[in-house]
Amino acid sequence: MPGHFEPIPGGGAAVALDDVEISIIRSLAVQLLELIGPGPGGEVSDDPLAELFADGPSEPPSDAVLRRLFPDAYGGPGTEDETPEGADELRAHSSEFRRFTENDLRAGKREDALAVIRTLDTLSPAGDGGAVLKLSQGESIQWMRALNDLRLAIGTRLDITDEEDTDLLYRLPDDDARKPMVMAYLWLGGLQETLVETLTA
């Protein structure tokens, strides 16, 4: 179980984590929460119906990580209609789609990151300085999505756009300033892969 998820009775998953690993995942989840930001108005609304119909942003985020987490729904590289008129139309469609969906997407990503933090905060230390994290089926799915978001965020900071970029990470010298972030990216990828395998077994 160390370093990878395994199935547990009831459809959930478990993984053994040491104190450093727990601290790293929790810190990354907190940073992701801060980046995503609070809900509309910055606080929980007293009127859930009003919040449901609140307009979201219509323009892409300025931060590169947020643009990766909340990409345009239409257009982008390789789009068939690359005429100026076609590009304007795709931007308009993307803007409208973003206005009605981004708030919900952000709320979902916040809930996934919070699930990671909450489950880590319930851990009881084991004798060897770590703990075994046991997740229900629902928590496992939230973890899977949150791990994906964390890897997208780190991958964006590392300028990873394809598999070839990932291969280069393995050959970085130890004194490269990006090395700690690379190690976290690769480690989270291993966790995510074993969690997906556990859930689909």
Side-chain angles (χ1 to χ4, degrees):
M1 184 184 299
H4 62 272
F5 280 95
E6 293 182 0
I8 57 175
V15 63
L17 299 169
D18 64 32
D19 289 342
V20 173
E21 292 169 334
I22 293 168
S23 176
I24 290 171
I25 296 174
R26 192 184 190 287
S27 175
L28 289 172
V30 168
Q31 290 176 54
L32 182 63
L33 271 178
E34 292 172 350
L35 184 63
I36 292 171
E43 55 189 24
V44 177
S45 172
D46 291 332
D47 184 354
L49 194 60
E51 187 171 326
L52 179 66
F53 291 103
D55 282 352
S58 58
E59 295 299 321
S62 58
D63 184 273
V65 171
L66 290 176
R67 284 197 304 274
R68 186 81 180 271
L69 293 174
F70 307 103
D72 277 336
Y74 305 95
T79 302
E80 289 183 13
D81 191 350
E82 295 181 352
T83 64
E85 297 79 9
D88 287 343
E89 185 176 348
L90 289 174
R91 275 194 295 272
H93 288 318
S94 289
S95 176
E96 191 75 356
F97 187 83
R98 184 180 296 278
R99 188 162 67 92
F100 289 112
T101 62
E102 187 167 314
N103 283 345
D104 285 343
L105 291 173
R106 284 183 182 250
K109 291 183 185 300
R110 274 194 298 272
E111 279 304 310
D112 293 338
L114 280 170
V116 168
I117 295 167
R118 289 172 182 144
T119 52
L120 290 176
D121 286 350
T122 65
L123 291 177
S124 300
D128 58 357
V132 175
L133 175 69
K134 294 182 179 180
L135 303 173
S136 67
Q137 178 81 9
E139 290 168 339
S140 297
I141 293 171
Q142 287 183 298
W143 262 75
M144 182 176 62
R145 291 192 299 244
L147 287 172
N148 186 63
D149 287 343
L150 290 174
R151 291 191 76 241
L152 282 174
I154 296 172
T156 302
R157 296 294 189 227
L158 291 171
D159 291 324
I160 296 172
T161 56
D162 55 37
E163 195 63 35
E164 187 174 318
D165 293 333
T166 304
D167 292 340
L168 293 174
L169 298 180
Y170 289 97
R171 298 193 291 275
L172 281 180
D174 290 340
D175 60 353
D176 192 300
R178 296 170 294 171
K179 191 75 172 185
M181 196 180 294
V182 166
M183 297 303 292
Y185 177 82
L186 296 174
W187 171 59
L188 291 174
L191 277 179
Q192 182 186 16
E193 183 178 349
T194 61
L195 182 54
V196 170
E197 290 171 353
T198 296
L199 292 175
T200 56

mmCIF file of all heavy atoms in Angstrom, residues 5-8 10-14 135-147 191-201:
data_model
loop_
_atom_site.group_PDB
_atom_site.id
_atom_site.type_symbol
_atom_site.label_atom_id
_atom_site.label_comp_id
_atom_site.label_asym_id
_atom_site.label_seq_id
_atom_site.Cartn_x
_atom_site.Cartn_y
_atom_site.Cartn_z
ATOM 1 N N PHE A 5 -2.578 3.612 -4.150
ATOM 2 C CA PHE A 5 -3.910 3.283 -3.644
ATOM 3 C C PHE A 5 -4.219 1.818 -3.880
ATOM 4 O O PHE A 5 -3.806 1.228 -4.877
ATOM 5 C CB PHE A 5 -4.971 4.146 -4.332
ATOM 6 C CG PHE A 5 -5.098 5.529 -3.771
ATOM 7 C CD1 PHE A 5 -4.408 6.596 -4.345
ATOM 8 C CD2 PHE A 5 -5.907 5.774 -2.664
ATOM 9 C CE1 PHE A 5 -4.536 7.878 -3.836
ATOM 10 C CE2 PHE A 5 -6.037 7.054 -2.150
ATOM 11 C CZ PHE A 5 -5.350 8.107 -2.732
ATOM 12 N N GLU A 6 -4.990 1.254 -2.953
ATOM 13 C CA GLU A 6 -5.485 -0.113 -3.078
ATOM 14 C C GLU A 6 -6.964 -0.122 -2.710
ATOM 15 O O GLU A 6 -7.419 0.723 -1.933
ATOM 16 C CB GLU A 6 -4.713 -1.054 -2.152
ATOM 17 C CG GLU A 6 -3.259 -1.243 -2.548
ATOM 18 C CD GLU A 6 -2.527 -2.216 -1.648
ATOM 19 O OE1 GLU A 6 -3.161 -2.748 -0.706
ATOM 20 O OE2 GLU A 6 -1.320 -2.433 -1.868
ATOM 21 N N PRO A 7 -7.722 -1.054 -3.283
ATOM 22 C CA PRO A 7 -9.165 -1.104 -2.969
ATOM 23 C C PRO A 7 -9.420 -1.575 -1.550
ATOM 24 O O PRO A 7 -8.625 -2.328 -0.978
ATOM 25 C CB PRO A 7 -9.706 -2.115 -3.995
ATOM 26 C CG PRO A 7 -8.529 -2.953 -4.373
ATOM 27 C CD PRO A 7 -7.331 -2.066 -4.273
ATOM 28 N N ILE A 8 -10.504 -1.102 -0.985
ATOM 29 C CA ILE A 8 -10.939 -1.568 0.333
ATOM 30 C C ILE A 8 -12.396 -2.003 0.222
ATOM 31 O O ILE A 8 -13.102 -1.590 -0.704
ATOM 32 C CB ILE A 8 -10.776 -0.470 1.419
ATOM 33 C CG1 ILE A 8 -11.560 0.796 1.042
ATOM 34 C CG2 ILE A 8 -9.314 -0.159 1.663
ATOM 35 C CD1 ILE A 8 -11.539 1.864 2.131
ATOM 36 N N GLY A 10 -16.276 -2.220 0.286
ATOM 37 C CA GLY A 10 -17.257 -1.153 0.183
ATOM 38 C C GLY A 10 -17.050 -0.245 -1.005
ATOM 39 O O GLY A 10 -17.805 0.696 -1.222
ATOM 40 N N GLY A 11 -15.988 -0.500 -1.772
ATOM 41 C CA GLY A 11 -15.773 0.264 -2.993
ATOM 42 C C GLY A 11 -14.886 1.475 -2.860
ATOM 43 O O GLY A 11 -14.721 2.225 -3.822
ATOM 44 N N GLY A 12 -14.290 1.688 -1.700
ATOM 45 C CA GLY A 12 -13.401 2.826 -1.526
ATOM 46 C C GLY A 12 -11.959 2.483 -1.845
ATOM 47 O O GLY A 12 -11.665 1.477 -2.499
ATOM 48 N N ALA A 13 -11.045 3.318 -1.375
ATOM 49 C CA ALA A 13 -9.621 3.127 -1.633
ATOM 50 C C ALA A 13 -8.828 3.567 -0.417
ATOM 51 O O ALA A 13 -9.291 4.384 0.389
ATOM 52 C CB ALA A 13 -9.197 3.932 -2.860
ATOM 53 N N ALA A 14 -7.626 3.014 -0.286
ATOM 54 C CA ALA A 14 -6.760 3.363 0.837
ATOM 55 C C ALA A 14 -5.327 3.513 0.354
ATOM 56 O O ALA A 14 -4.911 2.869 -0.613
ATOM 57 C CB ALA A 14 -6.846 2.289 1.925
ATOM 58 N N LEU A 135 -10.628 6.077 2.045
ATOM 59 C CA LEU A 135 -11.623 6.909 1.387
ATOM 60 C C LEU A 135 -12.832 6.090 0.982
ATOM 61 O O LEU A 135 -12.695 4.952 0.525
ATOM 62 C CB LEU A 135 -11.033 7.559 0.128
ATOM 63 C CG LEU A 135 -9.772 8.417 0.296
ATOM 64 C CD1 LEU A 135 -9.244 8.825 -1.070
ATOM 65 C CD2 LEU A 135 -10.060 9.636 1.152
ATOM 66 N N SER A 136 -14.019 6.688 1.126
ATOM 67 C CA SER A 136 -15.228 6.068 0.595
ATOM 68 C C SER A 136 -15.199 6.177 -0.930
ATOM 69 O O SER A 136 -14.326 6.848 -1.504
ATOM 70 C CB SER A 136 -16.471 6.778 1.148
ATOM 71 O OG SER A 136 -16.535 8.105 0.630
ATOM 72 N N GLN A 137 -16.171 5.554 -1.563
ATOM 73 C CA GLN A 137 -16.267 5.642 -3.027
ATOM 74 C C GLN A 137 -16.400 7.095 -3.472
ATOM 75 O O GLN A 137 -15.711 7.543 -4.394
ATOM 76 C CB GLN A 137 -17.469 4.827 -3.512
ATOM 77 C CG GLN A 137 -17.702 4.874 -5.014
ATOM 78 C CD GLN A 137 -16.822 3.928 -5.790
ATOM 79 O OE1 GLN A 137 -16.144 3.101 -5.211
ATOM 80 N NE2 GLN A 137 -16.821 4.055 -7.108
ATOM 81 N N GLY A 138 -17.282 7.841 -2.811
ATOM 82 C CA GLY A 138 -17.480 9.243 -3.181
ATOM 83 C C GLY A 138 -16.241 10.083 -2.943
ATOM 84 O O GLY A 138 -15.883 10.927 -3.774
ATOM 85 N N GLU A 139 -15.588 9.878 -1.803
ATOM 86 C CA GLU A 139 -14.360 10.619 -1.508
ATOM 87 C C GLU A 139 -13.260 10.268 -2.500
ATOM 88 O O GLU A 139 -12.462 11.130 -2.894
ATOM 89 C CB GLU A 139 -13.901 10.315 -0.089
ATOM 90 C CG GLU A 139 -14.805 10.895 0.988
ATOM 91 C CD GLU A 139 -14.499 10.341 2.371
ATOM 92 O OE1 GLU A 139 -13.880 9.252 2.470
ATOM 93 O OE2 GLU A 139 -14.892 10.985 3.362
ATOM 94 N N SER A 140 -13.210 9.008 -2.912
ATOM 95 C CA SER A 140 -12.198 8.580 -3.877
ATOM 96 C C SER A 140 -12.358 9.323 -5.199
ATOM 97 O O SER A 140 -11.368 9.736 -5.820
ATOM 98 C CB SER A 140 -12.293 7.070 -4.126
ATOM 99 O OG SER A 140 -12.025 6.341 -2.954
ATOM 100 N N ILE A 141 -13.607 9.505 -5.623
ATOM 101 C CA ILE A 141 -13.861 10.223 -6.876
ATOM 102 C C ILE A 141 -13.458 11.690 -6.741
ATOM 103 O O ILE A 141 -12.861 12.278 -7.658
ATOM 104 C CB ILE A 141 -15.342 10.084 -7.279
ATOM 105 C CG1 ILE A 141 -15.633 8.621 -7.651
ATOM 106 C CG2 ILE A 141 -15.691 11.014 -8.433
ATOM 107 C CD1 ILE A 141 -17.093 8.305 -7.861
ATOM 108 N N GLN A 142 -13.744 12.293 -5.579
ATOM 109 C CA GLN A 142 -13.329 13.678 -5.358
ATOM 110 C C GLN A 142 -11.808 13.795 -5.347
ATOM 111 O O GLN A 142 -11.241 14.746 -5.898
ATOM 112 C CB GLN A 142 -13.910 14.195 -4.038
ATOM 113 C CG GLN A 142 -15.399 14.458 -4.094
ATOM 114 C CD GLN A 142 -15.925 15.047 -2.785
ATOM 115 O OE1 GLN A 142 -15.849 14.410 -1.739
ATOM 116 N NE2 GLN A 142 -16.446 16.250 -2.855
ATOM 117 N N TRP A 143 -11.140 12.841 -4.732
ATOM 118 C CA TRP A 143 -9.680 12.828 -4.724
ATOM 119 C C TRP A 143 -9.133 12.695 -6.138
ATOM 120 O O TRP A 143 -8.161 13.367 -6.493
ATOM 121 C CB TRP A 143 -9.171 11.685 -3.842
ATOM 122 C CG TRP A 143 -8.797 12.113 -2.463
ATOM 123 C CD1 TRP A 143 -9.644 12.432 -1.447
ATOM 124 C CD2 TRP A 143 -7.469 12.268 -1.952
ATOM 125 N NE1 TRP A 143 -8.923 12.779 -0.326
ATOM 126 C CE2 TRP A 143 -7.592 12.680 -0.604
ATOM 127 C CE3 TRP A 143 -6.206 12.082 -2.483
ATOM 128 C CZ2 TRP A 143 -6.487 12.926 0.201
ATOM 129 C CZ3 TRP A 143 -5.089 12.320 -1.688
ATOM 130 C CH2 TRP A 143 -5.241 12.744 -0.359
ATOM 131 N N MET A 144 -9.738 11.836 -6.930
ATOM 132 C CA MET A 144 -9.269 11.631 -8.301
ATOM 133 C C MET A 144 -9.343 12.943 -9.088
ATOM 134 O O MET A 144 -8.399 13.315 -9.786
ATOM 135 C CB MET A 144 -10.102 10.551 -8.975
ATOM 136 C CG MET A 144 -9.684 10.215 -10.394
ATOM 137 S SD MET A 144 -10.649 8.850 -11.077
ATOM 138 C CE MET A 144 -12.307 9.560 -11.049
ATOM 139 N N ARG A 145 -10.461 13.652 -8.939
ATOM 140 C CA ARG A 145 -10.602 14.924 -9.659
ATOM 141 C C ARG A 145 -9.623 15.967 -9.117
ATOM 142 O O ARG A 145 -9.031 16.737 -9.884
ATOM 143 C CB ARG A 145 -12.040 15.430 -9.544
ATOM 144 C CG ARG A 145 -13.054 14.581 -10.305
ATOM 145 C CD ARG A 145 -14.405 15.267 -10.407
ATOM 146 N NE ARG A 145 -14.996 15.534 -9.111
ATOM 147 C CZ ARG A 145 -16.124 14.991 -8.668
ATOM 148 N NH1 ARG A 145 -16.796 14.127 -9.428
ATOM 149 N NH2 ARG A 145 -16.615 15.309 -7.488
ATOM 150 N N ALA A 146 -9.457 16.014 -7.791
ATOM 151 C CA ALA A 146 -8.557 16.996 -7.194
ATOM 152 C C ALA A 146 -7.107 16.725 -7.591
ATOM 153 O O ALA A 146 -6.351 17.668 -7.879
ATOM 154 C CB ALA A 146 -8.695 16.987 -5.669
ATOM 155 N N LEU A 147 -6.696 15.450 -7.602
ATOM 156 C CA LEU A 147 -5.335 15.124 -8.032
ATOM 157 C C LEU A 147 -5.112 15.558 -9.477
ATOM 158 O O LEU A 147 -4.038 16.052 -9.834
ATOM 159 C CB LEU A 147 -5.073 13.622 -7.883
ATOM 160 C CG LEU A 147 -4.898 13.105 -6.454
ATOM 161 C CD1 LEU A 147 -4.851 11.576 -6.441
ATOM 162 C CD2 LEU A 147 -3.640 13.682 -5.816
ATOM 163 N N LEU A 191 0.052 8.563 -7.848
ATOM 164 C CA LEU A 191 -1.100 8.413 -6.956
ATOM 165 C C LEU A 191 -2.401 8.395 -7.753
ATOM 166 O O LEU A 191 -3.274 7.552 -7.531
ATOM 167 C CB LEU A 191 -1.139 9.566 -5.943
ATOM 168 C CG LEU A 191 -0.281 9.480 -4.695
ATOM 169 C CD1 LEU A 191 -0.462 10.740 -3.853
ATOM 170 C CD2 LEU A 191 -0.607 8.242 -3.874
ATOM 171 N N GLN A 192 -2.516 9.347 -8.687
ATOM 172 C CA GLN A 192 -3.729 9.443 -9.496
ATOM 173 C C GLN A 192 -3.926 8.171 -10.311
ATOM 174 O O GLN A 192 -5.042 7.637 -10.393
ATOM 175 C CB GLN A 192 -3.651 10.645 -10.416
ATOM 176 C CG GLN A 192 -4.891 10.862 -11.263
ATOM 177 C CD GLN A 192 -4.719 11.986 -12.261
ATOM 178 O OE1 GLN A 192 -3.610 12.419 -12.540
ATOM 179 N NE2 GLN A 192 -5.828 12.453 -12.801
ATOM 180 N N GLU A 193 -2.873 7.667 -10.890
ATOM 181 C CA GLU A 193 -2.980 6.468 -11.727
ATOM 182 C C GLU A 193 -3.451 5.266 -10.931
ATOM 183 O O GLU A 193 -4.339 4.524 -11.370
ATOM 184 C CB GLU A 193 -1.616 6.169 -12.372
ATOM 185 C CG GLU A 193 -1.638 4.990 -13.326
ATOM 186 C CD GLU A 193 -0.301 4.749 -13.975
ATOM 187 O OE1 GLU A 193 0.599 5.606 -13.866
ATOM 188 O OE2 GLU A 193 -0.139 3.686 -14.604
ATOM 189 N N THR A 194 -2.871 5.078 -9.725
ATOM 190 C CA THR A 194 -3.298 3.924 -8.927
ATOM 191 C C THR A 194 -4.715 4.089 -8.385
ATOM 192 O O THR A 194 -5.437 3.108 -8.212
ATOM 193 C CB THR A 194 -2.320 3.651 -7.769
ATOM 194 O OG1 THR A 194 -2.265 4.787 -6.887
ATOM 195 C CG2 THR A 194 -0.926 3.354 -8.299
ATOM 196 N N LEU A 195 -5.124 5.341 -8.137
ATOM 197 C CA LEU A 195 -6.493 5.578 -7.681
ATOM 198 C C LEU A 195 -7.485 5.261 -8.805
ATOM 199 O O LEU A 195 -8.522 4.635 -8.570
ATOM 200 C CB LEU A 195 -6.649 7.016 -7.201
ATOM 201 C CG LEU A 195 -8.028 7.400 -6.650
ATOM 202 C CD1 LEU A 195 -8.490 6.453 -5.549
ATOM 203 C CD2 LEU A 195 -8.014 8.850 -6.146
ATOM 204 N N VAL A 196 -7.165 5.688 -10.022
ATOM 205 C CA VAL A 196 -8.031 5.380 -11.162
ATOM 206 C C VAL A 196 -8.116 3.871 -11.358
ATOM 207 O O VAL A 196 -9.202 3.320 -11.573
ATOM 208 C CB VAL A 196 -7.498 6.051 -12.446
ATOM 209 C CG1 VAL A 196 -8.242 5.555 -13.672
ATOM 210 C CG2 VAL A 196 -7.622 7.573 -12.346
ATOM 211 N N GLU A 197 -6.979 3.191 -11.273
ATOM 212 C CA GLU A 197 -6.978 1.723 -11.432
ATOM 213 C C GLU A 197 -7.830 1.046 -10.346
ATOM 214 O O GLU A 197 -8.547 0.084 -10.616
ATOM 215 C CB GLU A 197 -5.543 1.200 -11.374
ATOM 216 C CG GLU A 197 -4.702 1.567 -12.598
ATOM 217 C CD GLU A 197 -3.244 1.219 -12.408
ATOM 218 O OE1 GLU A 197 -2.859 0.809 -11.271
ATOM 219 O OE2 GLU A 197 -2.477 1.361 -13.378
ATOM 220 N N THR A 198 -7.741 1.585 -9.125
ATOM 221 C CA THR A 198 -8.524 1.030 -8.032
ATOM 222 C C THR A 198 -10.014 1.192 -8.268
ATOM 223 O O THR A 198 -10.810 0.274 -8.034
ATOM 224 C CB THR A 198 -8.129 1.706 -6.701
ATOM 225 O OG1 THR A 198 -6.760 1.403 -6.410
ATOM 226 C CG2 THR A 198 -8.996 1.231 -5.545
ATOM 227 N N LEU A 199 -10.405 2.373 -8.751
ATOM 228 C CA LEU A 199 -11.826 2.663 -8.947
ATOM 229 C C LEU A 199 -12.408 1.940 -10.157
ATOM 230 O O LEU A 199 -13.621 1.741 -10.231
ATOM 231 C CB LEU A 199 -12.024 4.176 -9.102
ATOM 232 C CG LEU A 199 -11.753 5.014 -7.853
ATOM 233 C CD1 LEU A 199 -11.864 6.497 -8.175
ATOM 234 C CD2 LEU A 199 -12.684 4.641 -6.726
ATOM 235 N N THR A 200 -11.555 1.592 -11.108
ATOM 236 C CA THR A 200 -12.066 0.954 -12.324
ATOM 237 C C THR A 200 -11.822 -0.547 -12.335
ATOM 238 O O THR A 200 -12.174 -1.226 -13.315
ATOM 239 C CB THR A 200 -11.414 1.571 -13.577
ATOM 240 O OG1 THR A 200 -9.979 1.455 -13.472
ATOM 241 C CG2 THR A 200 -11.814 3.030 -13.714
ATOM 242 N N ALA A 201 -11.234 -1.087 -11.267
ATOM 243 C CA ALA A 201 -10.933 -2.520 -11.225
ATOM 244 C C ALA A 201 -12.225 -3.336 -11.107
ATOM 245 O O ALA A 201 -13.197 -2.891 -10.517
ATOM 246 C CB ALA A 201 -10.017 -2.819 -10.054
#
